[in-house]
Amino acid sequence: MNTARSEAWFARAQSRIPGGVNSPVRAFKAVGGAPRFIARGQGSRLFDIDGNAYIDYVGSWGPLILGHGHAAVSEAVRAALEDGTSFGAPTEREVELAELIAQIMPSMEMSRLVNSGTEATMSALRLARGFTGRELTVKFEGCYHGHVDSLLVKAGSGMATLGIADTAGVPAGFAASTIALPFNSVAAAEQAFQRHGGKIACVIVEPVAGNMGCVPPLPGFLEALRELTARHGALLIFDEVMTGFRLGLGGAQQRFGIRPDLTTLGKIIGGGLPLAAYGGRADVMKRVAPLGPVYQAGTLSGNPLAVAAGLAALRYLRDHPEIYGELERRAAQLCACPPPQVTVNRAGSMFTFFFTGRPVTDWESARQCDTERFARFFHHLLERGVYLPPSQFEAGFVSAAHSEEDIRRTVEAAREFFEAAAPPPSNP
Ligand SMILES: *Cc1c(COP(=O)(O)O)cnc(C)c1O
């Protein structure tokens, strides 16, 4: 595979962009080699600037559940572009989107649009503190909620990938307002509430963790968080930036039948354009300015192009509910291929092949993986035109554009790796 052009551009990028990339995990640091520079995407395929094609399981890290360049989304953006790119004034589609979100996720009685998942979680946290008059936040190790100062404590995603435990640049006071607990531990959550109950403003959780690789909740975990927060007057925030419209149209809250007080959305909600949202109980959301004292604003919030794309994507998903069954089937096919020495975690169309023989239920178990072997697996697939997230600690995604043939080819390439690595069969 010729990657000369990508390598040359990556070298050129280093001198003007930190690490040559605009978001850390893109740099391939955990797996080695130069990242591919992408020229375009179509359906399930990415094409790099050297002309190589890849079956894409990154999907822009989650947004592209319909695949690249989906006609419904592209046409909506093209049509919106004709009318102008930004007004800084209300538009009809923003109202339609808020109504559609409330219809799809009944817990989101009111919502606010922002531009990134980071902004959504940052705003939800401020709101939870403003509403409760308390300062502490409970989060879980290995969960990532964007690069919000107080949430970069034992965070997943790039922090896990690069082995950065706690980032530089966060004031000690901010970090001290966060209590980080092991994911899936009801006992730890109970203990935290016993000790600090009256001071905890909120619990924020990825209901299915995706940023330490895919780690589903154990039965009873989310239920316990719901019960504890309600009992102690704290808010439960589901960070569904990844899981929203992914684990089913209504996200994790629909899948597990739990109603959080606040929800953050991103990724799929923008159909591939920068858009995110936070929302939930009307009595809480009414504390947001201009109605209430919790300030939050944005020059490009509710951007017309992004809203048009998001609305088109969500309407398409709403009108084609069969997509979720197909995603589930294809993802299950894909996840059937690794041998027992590899632990496969999957929730709907989110999946991770963990290079460990043991179950992965939290950050402690995820970090035991053989990341060097994962890196070899990653490059084996990349060479054969299959593009996985370049980190053991990220989830892969199957999209509606992946065909049976895409999955078959991927499984074949993966099997080749596992069979080459397996001990030779003993002579009969
Ligand atoms: C991606 C992600 C974020 C951050 O969203 P950005 O748009 O990258 O700021 C927050 N929470 C979760 C669960 C995510 O997966």
Side-chain angles (χ1 to χ4, degrees):
M1 187 176 272
N2 183 2
T3 56
R5 287 173 68 97
S6 277
E7 282 164 41
W9 275 93
F10 189 47
R12 182 171 161 187
Q14 310 281 336
S15 59
R16 293 295 179 194
I17 304 174
V21 290
N22 282 310
S23 196
V25 187
R26 295 180 196 172
F28 276 28
K29 216 170 163 184
V31 292
R36 306 305 196 248
F37 274 58
I38 303 304
R40 63 190 180 88
Q42 190 56 53
S44 64
R45 292 295 198 281
L46 275 178
F47 300 88
D48 70 18
I49 59 174
D50 288 284
N52 304 302
Y54 306 90
I55 304 171
D56 178 21
Y57 292 100
V58 177
S60 187
W61 302 93
L64 299 183
I65 192 168
L66 295 174
H68 294 274
H70 191 271
V73 177
S74 302
E75 274 157 32
V77 174
R78 225 172 273 128
L81 181 59
E82 295 292 308
D83 295 327
T85 54
S86 187
F87 314 121
T91 57
E92 292 167 330
R93 286 199 195 93
E94 290 165 83
V95 183
E96 291 176 325
L97 184 54
E99 289 170 353
L100 183 57
I101 291 169
Q103 191 192 334
I104 292 173
M105 291 184 184
S107 78
M108 293 190 74
E109 296 165 351
M110 298 180 90
S111 57
R112 240 314 150 71
L113 294 179
V114 292
N115 304 298
S116 70
T118 296
E119 252 190 283
T121 57
M122 180 183 74
S123 309
L125 235 57
R126 184 183 306 133
L127 175 58
R129 291 190 297 253
F131 180 80
T132 59
R134 304 171 177 182
E135 296 210 338
L136 295 181
T137 295
V138 170
K139 80 172 287 276
F140 296 93
E141 295 165 6
C143 285
Y144 177 70
H145 305 290
H147 63 95
V148 178
D149 277 329
S150 64
L151 290 175
L152 285 178
V153 178
K154 302 203 169 145
S157 190
M159 299 261 293
T161 300
L162 299 173
I164 300 172
D166 294 295
T167 175
V170 172
F174 286 28
S177 72
T178 305
I179 301 170
L181 306 176
F183 189 73
N184 268 329
S185 173
V186 174
E190 278 171 349
Q191 202 174 54
F193 272 97
Q194 243 163 34
R195 282 207 196 137
H196 309 286
K199 294 185 192 151
I200 296 172
C202 60
V203 171
I204 185 166
V205 66
E206 289 183 73
V208 170
N211 287 292
M212 51 177 142
C214 175
V215 180
L218 293 173
F221 176 59
L222 297 175
E223 289 80 357
L225 297 183
R226 178 63 287 182
E227 193 275 320
L228 279 168
T229 45
R231 177 144 51 93
H232 291 272
L235 299 185
L236 178 61
I237 305 175
F238 269 13
D239 181 356
E240 297 228 43
V241 168
M242 188 183 288
T243 55
F245 318 109
R246 166 64 66 182
L247 292 180
L249 188 61
Q253 51 197 274
Q254 179 185 52
R255 199 174 173 104
F256 298 108
I258 292 174
R259 191 179 174 108
D261 301 299
L262 292 175
T263 299
T264 52
L265 297 171
K267 301 196 168 122
I268 291 175
I269 197 181
L273 271 77
L275 187 68
Y278 68 101
R281 272 165 50 185
D283 62 323
V284 179
M285 290 303 290
K286 283 181 179 167
R287 306 297 287 167
V288 176
L291 283 184
V294 178
Y295 196 72
Q296 181 271 314
T299 301
L300 289 172
S301 290
N303 174 264
L305 297 189
V307 171
L311 201 51
L314 297 194
R315 282 179 175 156
Y316 190 90
L317 289 168
R318 177 198 61 193
D319 297 340
H320 297 79
E322 70 282 359
I323 282 178
Y324 290 99
E326 283 162 21
L327 286 176
E328 186 97 35
R329 263 196 307 286
R330 297 242 197 285
Q333 263 173 311
L334 180 65
C335 287
C337 75
Q341 308 89 287
V342 174
T343 294
V344 179
N345 280 7
R346 180 179 72 82
S349 53
M350 288 167 63
F351 67 92
T352 302
F353 297 171
F354 286 105
F355 282 77
T356 170
R358 303 218 202 101
V360 175
T361 56
D362 57 12
W363 173 238
E364 249 341 279
S365 44
R367 65 186 289 197
Q368 306 299 329
C369 288
D370 183 346
T371 51
E372 277 167 31
R373 185 144 182 260
F374 171 84
R376 288 197 297 279
F377 177 65
F378 168 83
H379 280 292
H380 173 94
L381 290 187
L382 192 67
E383 278 297 310
R384 284 153 188 82
V386 175
Y387 192 88
L388 284 186
S391 164
Q392 173 70 95
F393 307 117
E394 297 282 358
F397 303 100
V398 176
S399 82
H402 286 91
S403 66
E404 190 97 18
E405 174 64 12
D406 288 336
I407 303 291
R408 201 191 56 71
R409 275 187 46 187
T410 306
V411 167
E412 196 176 274
R415 283 226 174 98
E416 206 180 277
F417 177 86
F418 293 128
E419 275 157 24
S426 53
N427 264 337

